[in-house]
Amino acid sequence: MLFLQILIDGFAISALYALGATGFTLIFGVSGVLNLSHGAIMVAAAVAAWAAASVLHLDIYSGALFGVGVALIVSFATYFAVVKPIQNSTRIPNEEKEIFVLTGTLLWGIMIQELIAYFFTNNAKTVLPIVEGVVDIFGNRTPRNNIFTALVCCLVIGLLWLLVNRTRTGKAVLAASMNPRGVTLLGLELTQIYIVVWGIYGILAGIAGVLLGMFLGVSSYSVGPLTASAFSIVVLGGLGSVSGSLIAAFVVGYLETITAYMISPAYRTIPALLLLVFVMYIRPQGLLGRR
């Protein structure tokens, strides 16, 4: 029974991590940005969805959409207020811009975290699940929302694959990730592609954050662990490799679930971080290599 519970819950949390890490990886693959405010954007989406239902008294569906919308706005704010000014600055040497972007997004994430704590306290917030009730799976009573979460994550990842591989916009994004200079020579504006990518990322992070709020609940303290998990996943999978991130998400998700059930939820992130250190020594390019 415990094995089955770990299997089901691990799949749901892994699918959530995969959804969030896919957007994280997409941004790095296209624009070379490691967004360290990732966890803050996910938490902002979950808290916004909770506030929409608890404070504004919206229904569950409207609250979820409100949360995703907030994540989209914060994502664009991250790009226009933090990332783009640093990338376009003439005062910062080109070889130092990456570290400035890392520092800028980290500080931006801390600001969002503190704002959430100030307005909504540090107490955990749980978003009302869209699907209620439990289902019996081989004698194991599992919340229907867990299954719903996994299905939605897989569906959204599938739709993203179709967007990237079957649409003109997606192919432009894919081309920008392979050869940005070649894209500009073809007459495409990189800034517009970056805006599209940050928009896609905001939606993915928003959906993942709202679903996480329904699944486990979040607080301002969740910002750091969520960012650390996403960073671990993209490094394990290979920076810029979407397929590698998907595989790594399930490795990290199941490691955390097993640790939470077998040892303590307080130590759930430690095995994944230890695995990250091990992989960086043995195979620094990640499971499927850098893209």
Side-chain angles (χ1 to χ4, degrees):
M1 298 293 286
L2 179 60
F3 171 79
L4 186 59
Q5 190 66 48
I6 291 174
L7 186 66
I8 296 171
D9 289 349
F11 186 84
I13 194 66
S14 298
L16 273 172
Y17 283 168
L19 183 60
T22 298
F24 193 100
T25 303
L26 188 64
I27 286 181
F28 178 81
V30 175
S31 60
V33 173
L34 282 173
N35 176 28
L36 296 187
S37 63
H38 174 75
I41 294 175
M42 288 182 63
V43 172
V47 172
W50 170 84
S54 302
V55 180
L56 301 179
H57 305 293
L58 299 180
D59 60 83
I60 297 174
Y61 298 98
S62 299
L65 290 175
F66 183 77
V68 175
V70 167
L72 183 61
I73 293 171
V74 177
S75 175
F76 281 136
T78 305
Y79 175 66
F80 286 109
V82 181
V83 176
K84 189 177 180 181
I86 294 174
Q87 291 178 334
N88 293 340
S89 175
T90 57
R91 298 183 178 182
I92 303 174
N94 289 331
E95 63 273 12
E96 297 180 7
K97 286 184 178 180
E98 288 187 6
I99 189 64
F100 271 84
V101 169
L102 278 174
T103 306
T105 56
L106 176 62
L107 294 176
W108 176 250
I110 294 173
M111 290 173 59
I112 296 172
Q113 179 181 1
E114 292 302 319
L115 285 173
I116 292 172
Y118 178 79
F119 286 105
F120 300 102
T121 75
N122 290 317
N123 296 329
K125 309 292 188 297
T126 302
V127 182
L128 291 176
I130 292 177
V131 179
E132 298 180 347
V134 296
V135 59
D136 188 276
I137 302 177
F138 300 108
N140 189 20
R141 293 173 61 82
T142 301
R144 295 179 185 272
N145 187 66
N146 293 9
I147 300 173
F148 172 78
T149 296
L151 291 177
V152 170
C153 290
C154 293
L155 176 61
V156 173
I157 292 172
L159 291 175
L160 177 64
W161 184 89
L162 290 175
L163 173 67
V164 172
N165 293 280
R166 294 291 186 268
T167 67
R168 185 174 181 178
T169 300
K171 290 179 180 179
V173 170
L174 193 60
S177 68
M178 296 178 179
N179 191 340
R181 181 175 175 79
V183 169
T184 58
L185 293 175
L186 291 174
L188 297 176
E189 181 61 45
L190 273 179
T191 301
Q192 294 180 357
I193 295 176
Y194 292 160
I195 292 174
V196 170
V197 170
W198 278 90
I200 294 172
Y201 163 75
I203 293 173
L204 295 179
I207 295 173
V210 172
L211 291 175
L212 183 65
M214 296 178 184
F215 185 71
L216 294 176
V218 297
S219 71
S220 59
Y221 294 128
S222 304
V223 169
L226 286 174
T227 302
S229 294
F231 186 77
S232 300
I233 288 167
V234 297
V235 173
L236 285 174
L239 287 171
S241 172
V242 174
S243 54
S245 294
L246 292 177
I247 296 173
F250 279 87
V251 172
V252 171
Y254 273 107
L255 270 178
E256 290 191 4
T257 304
I258 291 171
T259 304
Y261 273 99
M262 304 300 293
I263 303 176
S264 170
Y267 304 119
R268 63 183 301 156
T269 60
I270 293 178
L273 293 176
L274 292 176
L275 177 62
L276 174 62
V277 173
F278 177 76
V279 170
M280 289 180 68
Y281 275 104
I282 303 301
R283 186 177 171 81
Q285 70 270 33
L287 297 176
L288 297 186
R290 299 175 187 268
R291 294 290 185 267

